[in-house]
Every structure is written in structure tokens, then in C-alpha cells.
């Protein structure tokens, strides 16, 4: 069912943020062949969309929220704003996008003293926000494969775990002629994350070191060999991830006034996409004002925070950092590939949104763990990166950067289950010293064995049931029914 597929087609080009050269999208480009800079993808006809008034776009996107046309059900509900060159037959839909916005539980709200909601991007198909970008990148790749009649394509990415999970899943779904290869830092992705590309049948290659080491290997491959790169260096990924911003605006009926969006920053693709998305909506008049953006980084991997810590733009200098192990492991990146994109959009953002509309906050490892556990014991499903956002909100409130009349929307970028190992380390007080995390007794929880296997062995099955029940009764102090 594709009869309601949009007729608008844009004129998309790669735009280099280094030398400002433009390139045709008929070729796969990751970095500028002229200067090595990173790309954005731009629809040079975007402003023609403003011939339709904001109300047209709002009602169109709202109507599409109910469509059963799968190609428009996910992130491509916002087709005209993202990649309006794709044909419906190429669009890959695995149920990504439309993730729920969950208000802080009443008790958590009281503790925080400021309105907050999580947008649970861990409820995407591979359990992280990466699916948004992959849906777009794979749809474009599918269109190229069809047009060029390629009979074999190796898709490659470096990853802290979630990009590889998403890339492997989408490649497995699309199938021939794609083969997925993921390159991971050995021992630096969680067991759940590692199980994902393995289960999807990808070729999983590990190298010693951290993500930044893997990224260099993958960049070397992309520069010298015929591979399709799926890291966010691939600008099609950024476009898909803009859907997060569109969904936030839509959820709040296109009213982003007095809203603050918190995003954990690693390779900096996500915060780039979120800013770009809100700027597009603002350009079309779909949102009257920009929500504020707060990037959050752990003190163990904080190059973007360090850059913006200097208030005078003329004195700011970017320097990669050497990362220290972090519980926000998925964002543990010392030299973010998308840093030039952040700079580009942050400048535009502040020009329109005014001072304070874009900020970066630094948090400690301890704060990240405590915040994640606090959220989850109030019914949320935050990963450590979502905990990083909450820690950022608490810091912002303490520093007077956010007012209690402002609603904070926090990106819980992955599902808590992917990162349960860090919870386990907290509960068993087994964090290696370099993390600098000490469990707070009030947040620790452990299973309690009510009856030992030896006791069980000495009892008949009937006696065992009664004995085990008695132990539970004693543990809970249960009163009888009469
Ligand atoms: N949160 C999660 C769960 C992530 O997986 C990542 C990045 C981030 C936050 C940071 O987002 O890189 O766009 O600034 N993970 C990448 C990966 C690097 O390989 O999975 P970013």
C-alpha cells in the first residue's frame, strides 16, 4: 500500500563542512575527496517546502502517524524533511521510531523537583536510537544497489556496541547482496551488545583498544577499499536520526517553547542530528521557537564539554582526549567524528535560539550510575547513557541552568538491559577502581536465597514447598488471612 507516498522529490547534495564543496549523491562518500572534511546532506530545494504553511506540515505529519503504509510508518513519516529522494520500494522499515515519551513517575518527579520525561529510544528494534539512522542509511544503500546493480556489498562499521547491533540487523534483513562486518573494541562492548551482531550473522572482528582505535581502522578501510561505511561519518545516518527531534516536537503538538532536550554525546552524531532536526522545523515555521539543547558527557570522555567550557568562542580549541573507562561506555569516545558538525549547528542554534540555547554539561561516573538506578527504580528503562542525561539534568538544575518551568526531555538512547552489567557491578561493589564508583546502599539490590539446595535435598517435595513458603513468610513478615 504505497498510494499515499509523497510526490515531492528534493535535490540532495553532499556539502563539505571543511571546504564547502558540494558533491553529487550518486556516489558513496564519507569524507570530502578534496579536503577530507565531514559531510552534511542538504536538500537544496528545502526552502520550497515553505510554500506550504506550517499548518499543512503539522497536519500531514499528524495524519501519517496513523498510516499503515509501512514505508511511511517509521522515521519516514517526515520524508520531505529527511531524504526525499528515496523511492518507496527502497525504504527499509523494521519498526524504528515512534518511541514513547514517558513522564517521570510521580515520586521521581518529586525527588527531581523539575519536570522531566524520558524518550525511550531503547524501544527501537535493536534497542537503541541507532536504528533511526540505519533505516535511512540502508534505504539509501538499497537504492544505490538497485540503480548500480551491485552484486556484492560489504557494509562496515566500528562501534561501541549499538551501531554494530543496528547495522548487523538491518543488513541481515535486507539480505543479498549485503554482508555485514562490524569492528569492535575487544572487551569494550557489553555481552548483550556483542550477542546482537553475532545473532544477526554478521562477521564480528575484534581489535584491542577503544572505539577510537576501531574508527581509525574503519576509516582506513573506507578510504582504500570498496566498502559501505555505516558509522555516522556516513551522512545518511545523521538524516535518519533527525527524526528524534521531529518526534519530540510532534509529541508536544509542535510546541517546543520552554522545553530542554538532553542528549548524551559520544561520537556526536546524535546531538548533530537533533540540532539539525529542530533547525529544519524552525525554518519551516512548524515550531515557533527552538527547544534548548543540553549535551552531556562523562568526565572520562569529554572533548566536546572541554571545547565549550571556554566561553569566548575565539579562544576555544578542540583537542581529542584519551578516554578513561566509563559506565556510559557507548559514549566513551575521545575524538568524536562529528565534532565539526556540532560546531556548525551549535553556531546556527545559538544565533537563532540565543545564548544558552546550546550547552554541554559534564558529569561524574558516580552521578551517572546513581541517576540510572534512581530512574529505573521508579519504573523507567534507562541505560547508562540515559542515566548520563539524568545526571546532566540534576547538574543543570543545581547550577541554575534550567528553570522549574522548563520541561526536560531526556534521551534514554538504549534499553537498560544492554547495560545490566554495570548495574551488576554496582550491586556487587565490583567496579574496577578506575571507574571511581562506590555503591550507595539505598540503591543496591540483590537476590536472596530463601532455602539452600542442601535443605531442599533433605525434604520431601511437599515438605519443601511448605518450608520454602515458611521462609518467604518469615522474610516478609506476612500476617495470616484471619
Ligand atoms: N548512547 C548510546 C546508547 C550509544 O550507543 C551512543 C553511541 C551514544 C549514546 C552516543 O551517541 O555517538 O551519536 O554521540 N554509540 C556509537 C556506537 C558510537 O558505536 O554504537 P553519539
Amino acid at each position: 500500500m504505497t498510494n499515499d507516498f509523497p510526490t515531492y522529490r528534493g535535490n540532495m547534495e553532499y556539502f563539505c563542512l571543511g571546504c564547502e564543496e558540494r558533491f553529487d549523491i550518486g556516489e558513496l562518500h564519507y569524507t570530502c575527496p578534496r579536503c577530507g572534511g565531514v559531510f552534511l546532506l542538504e536538500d537544496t530545494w528545502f526552502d520550497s517546502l515553505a510554500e506550504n504553511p506550517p499548518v499543512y506540515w503539522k497536519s500531514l505529519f499528524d495524519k501519517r502517524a496513523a498510516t499503515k503504509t509501512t514505508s511511511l510508518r517509521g522515521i519516514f513519516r517526515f520524508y520531505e524533511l529527511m531524504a526525499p529522494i528515496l523511492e518507496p520500494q527502497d525504504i527499509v522499515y523494521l519498526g524504528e521510531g515512534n518511541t514513547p515519551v514517558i513522564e517521570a513517575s510521580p515520586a521521581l518527579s518529586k525527588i527531581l523537583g523539575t519536570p522531566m520525561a524520558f524518550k525511550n529510544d531503547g524501544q527501537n528494534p535493536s534497542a537503541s536510537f541507532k536504528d533511526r539512522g540505519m533505516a535511512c542509511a540502508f534505504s539509501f544503500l538499497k537504492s544505490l544497489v538497485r540503480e548500480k546493480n551491485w552484486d556484492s556489498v560489504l557494509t562496515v562499521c566500528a562501534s561501541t556496541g549499538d551501531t554494530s547491533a543496528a547495522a548487523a540487523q538491518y543488513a541481515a534483513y535486507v539480505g543479498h547482496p549485503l554482508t555485514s562486518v562490524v569492528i569492535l573494541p575487544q572487551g569494550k562492548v557489553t555481552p548483550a551488545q556483542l550477542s546482537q551482531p553475532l545473532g544477526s550473522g554478521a562477521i564480528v572482528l575484534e581489535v584491542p583498544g577503544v572505539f577510537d582505535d576501531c574508527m581509525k581502522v574503519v576509516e582506513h578501510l573506507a578510504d582504500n577499499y570498496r566498502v559501505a561505511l555505516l558509522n555516522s561519518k556516513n551522512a545518511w545516518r545523521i538524516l535518519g536520526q533527525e527524526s528524534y527531534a521531529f518526534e519530540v516536537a510532534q509529541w508536544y503538538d509542535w510546541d517546543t517553547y520552554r522545553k530542554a532536550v538532553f542528549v548524551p554525546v559520544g561520537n556526536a552524531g546524535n546531538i548533530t542530528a537533533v540540532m539539525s532536526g529542530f533547525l529544519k522545523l524552525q525554518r519551516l515555521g512548524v515550531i515557533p521557537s527552538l527547544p534548548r539543547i543540553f549535551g552531556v558527557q562523562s568526565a572520562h570522555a569529554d572533548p566536546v564539554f572541554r571545547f565549550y567550557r571556554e566561553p569566548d568562542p575565539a579562544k576555544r580549541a578542540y583537542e581529542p582526549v584519551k578516554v578513561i573507562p566509563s559506565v556510559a561506555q557507548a559514549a566513551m569516545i575521545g575524538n568524536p567524528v562529528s565534532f565539526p558538525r556540532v560546531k556548525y549547528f551549535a553556531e546556527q542554534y545559538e544565533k537563532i535560539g540565543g545564548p544558552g540555547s546550546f550547552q554541554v554539561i559534564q558529569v561524574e561516573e558516580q552521578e551517572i550510575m546513581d541517576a540510572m538506578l534512581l530512574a529505573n527504580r521508579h519504573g523507567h528503562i534507562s541505560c547508562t547513557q540515559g542515566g548520563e542525561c539524568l545526571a546532566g539534568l540534576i547538574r543543570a538544575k543545581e547550577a541554575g541552568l534550567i528553570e522549574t518551568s522548563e520541561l526536560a526531555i531526556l534521551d534514554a538512547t538504549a534499553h537498560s538491559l544492554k547495560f545490566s552489567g554495570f548495574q551488576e557491578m554496582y550491586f556487587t561493589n565490583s567496579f574496577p577502581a578506575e571507574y571511581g564508583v562506590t555503591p550507595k546502599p539505598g540503591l543496591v539490590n540483590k537476590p536472596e536465597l530463601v532455602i539452600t539446595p542442601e535443605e531442599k535435598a533433605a525434604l520431601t517435595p511437599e515438605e519443601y514447598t511448605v518450608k520454602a513458603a515458611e521462609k518467604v513468610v518469615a522474610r516478609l513478615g506476612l500476617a495470616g488471612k484471619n
Side-chain angles (χ1 to χ4, degrees):
M1 205 169 96
T2 52
N3 49 2
D4 56 351
F5 202 80
T7 51
Y8 173 77
R9 292 295 179 276
N11 180 48
M12 300 207 72
E13 294 175 349
Y14 289 104
F15 166 61
C16 173
L17 287 179
C19 65
E20 302 191 355
E21 184 76 61
R22 290 177 177 272
F23 294 86
D24 191 86
I25 57 164
E27 295 299 318
L28 273 180
H29 285 304
Y30 310 112
T31 48
C32 176
R34 224 178 76 171
C35 78
V38 288
F39 279 130
L40 291 175
L41 279 155
E42 281 188 358
D43 175 6
T44 61
W45 297 340
F46 183 86
D47 285 331
S48 74
L49 298 174
E51 285 164 16
N52 287 305
V55 66
Y56 169 86
W57 294 110
K58 294 184 207 178
S59 79
L60 179 72
F61 297 143
D62 286 349
K63 226 172 11 199
R64 277 196 200 140
T67 185
K68 287 182 180 145
T69 301
T70 51
S71 52
L72 295 175
R73 239 192 113 64
I75 60 164
F76 288 105
R77 190 194 319 162
F78 309 101
Y79 177 87
E80 291 88 344
L81 310 190
M82 282 191 327
I85 46 98
L86 295 171
E87 297 304 324
Q89 74 215 75
D90 296 319
I91 288 181
V92 186
Y93 171 70
L94 296 187
E96 59 286 327
N98 282 312
T99 54
V101 175
I102 307 297
E103 279 175 33
S105 81
L108 180 58
S109 236
K110 222 182 235 170
I111 295 169
L112 297 175
T114 196
M116 182 278 267
F118 274 114
K119 184 163 169 66
N120 284 342
D121 253 25
Q123 288 180 251
N124 273 302
S126 80
S128 90
F129 73 97
K130 301 287 179 182
D131 298 326
R132 297 178 180 277
M134 287 305 165
C136 187
F138 273 90
S139 298
F140 176 66
L141 190 56
K142 224 179 131 188
S143 74
L144 270 190
V145 166
R146 180 171 56 78
E147 278 163 23
K148 304 203 182 249
N149 222 357
W150 286 334
D151 59 5
S152 148
V153 179
L154 272 184
T155 67
V156 178
C157 68
S159 182
T160 56
D162 293 324
T163 296
S164 53
Q169 186 177 342
Y170 281 78
Y173 185 86
V174 173
H176 179 80
L178 307 187
T179 302
S180 173
V181 182
V182 305
I183 302 190
L184 304 176
Q186 185 190 26
K188 299 281 188 331
V189 307
T190 72
Q193 288 173 318
L194 178 59
S195 77
Q196 293 185 285
L198 289 172
S200 298
I203 299 171
V204 178
L205 306 176
E206 297 186 314
V207 297
V210 293
F211 171 85
D212 298 289
D213 299 301
C214 295
M215 195 64 220
K216 283 185 202 147
V217 173
V218 163
E219 281 170 348
H220 181 82
L221 294 177
D223 287 345
N224 297 290
Y225 298 88
R226 284 164 59 79
V227 293
L229 179 71
L230 285 169
N231 281 99
S232 51
K233 206 154 215 182
N234 178 335
W236 297 94
R237 286 261 323 273
I238 303 291
L239 285 180
Q241 288 177 202
E242 287 174 0
S243 60
Y244 181 89
F246 304 151
E247 286 180 16
V248 168
Q250 183 170 35
W251 182 253
Y252 291 104
D253 282 332
W254 313 103
D255 176 10
T256 46
Y257 182 64
R258 300 204 72 71
K259 309 261 184 327
V261 174
F262 284 69
V263 185
V265 180
N267 219 12
N270 202 27
I271 194 164
T272 296
V274 170
M275 281 195 283
S276 174
F278 283 123
L279 282 164
K280 280 185 182 173
L281 292 179
Q282 197 268 345
R283 228 164 113 186
L284 287 183
V286 171
I287 54 171
S289 61
L290 292 171
R292 296 206 293 154
I293 304 289
F294 287 82
V296 189
Q297 292 207 297
S298 159
H300 286 193
D302 60 355
V304 183
F305 165 77
R306 283 168 192 246
F307 180 83
Y308 285 101
R309 180 168 52 181
E310 167 57 57
D312 180 357
K315 287 198 198 139
R316 286 176 186 156
Y318 173 73
E319 260 191 71
V321 304
K322 197 171 174 318
V323 296
I324 305 167
S326 169
V327 296
Q329 185 170 266
M332 197 180 96
I333 295 171
N335 190 15
V337 158
S338 283
F339 181 73
R341 292 169 171 153
V342 174
K343 248 177 78 180
Y344 176 79
F345 283 118
E347 213 177 296
Q348 289 188 31
Y349 217 88
E350 287 195 301
K351 224 179 262 169
I352 298 167
S357 56
F358 169 82
Q359 327 209 10
V360 186
I361 290 183
Q362 183 206 48
V363 293
E364 298 298 331
E365 293 290 307
Q366 180 77 46
E367 295 170 305
I368 298 173
M369 280 311 297
D370 293 346
M372 178 190 82
L373 294 168
L374 179 72
N376 293 350
R377 35 170 66 209
H378 285 92
H380 296 278
I381 51 167
S382 171
C383 63
T384 43
Q385 293 66 224
E388 190 174 24
C389 284
L390 181 54
L393 170 62
I394 294 168
R395 276 273 183 120
K397 185 166 175 269
E398 281 166 6
L401 297 174
I402 190 155
E403 292 167 34
T404 46
S405 59
E406 243 175 321
L407 168 66
I409 300 135
L410 276 47
D411 193 347
T413 45
H415 201 288
S416 56
L417 291 175
K418 287 203 190 206
F419 295 88
S420 56
F422 291 110
Q423 173 183 291
E424 173 75 7
M425 281 197 239
Y426 193 99
F427 289 173
T428 56
N429 194 9
S430 57
F431 270 110
E434 55 205 358
Y435 286 90
V437 177
T438 310
K440 290 207 165 88
L443 288 174
V444 171
N445 201 6
K446 285 180 184 174
E448 304 166 40
L449 191 64
V450 291
I451 187 163
T452 65
E454 293 74 29
E455 285 175 280
K456 184 185 177 197
L459 298 167
T460 66
E462 294 72 25
E463 287 168 340
Y464 167 62
T465 304
V466 173
K467 189 80 186 160
E470 278 171 2
K471 298 252 192 187
V472 173
V473 167
R475 167 65 181 84
L476 301 178
L478 289 181
K481 273 192 176 166
N482 40 32

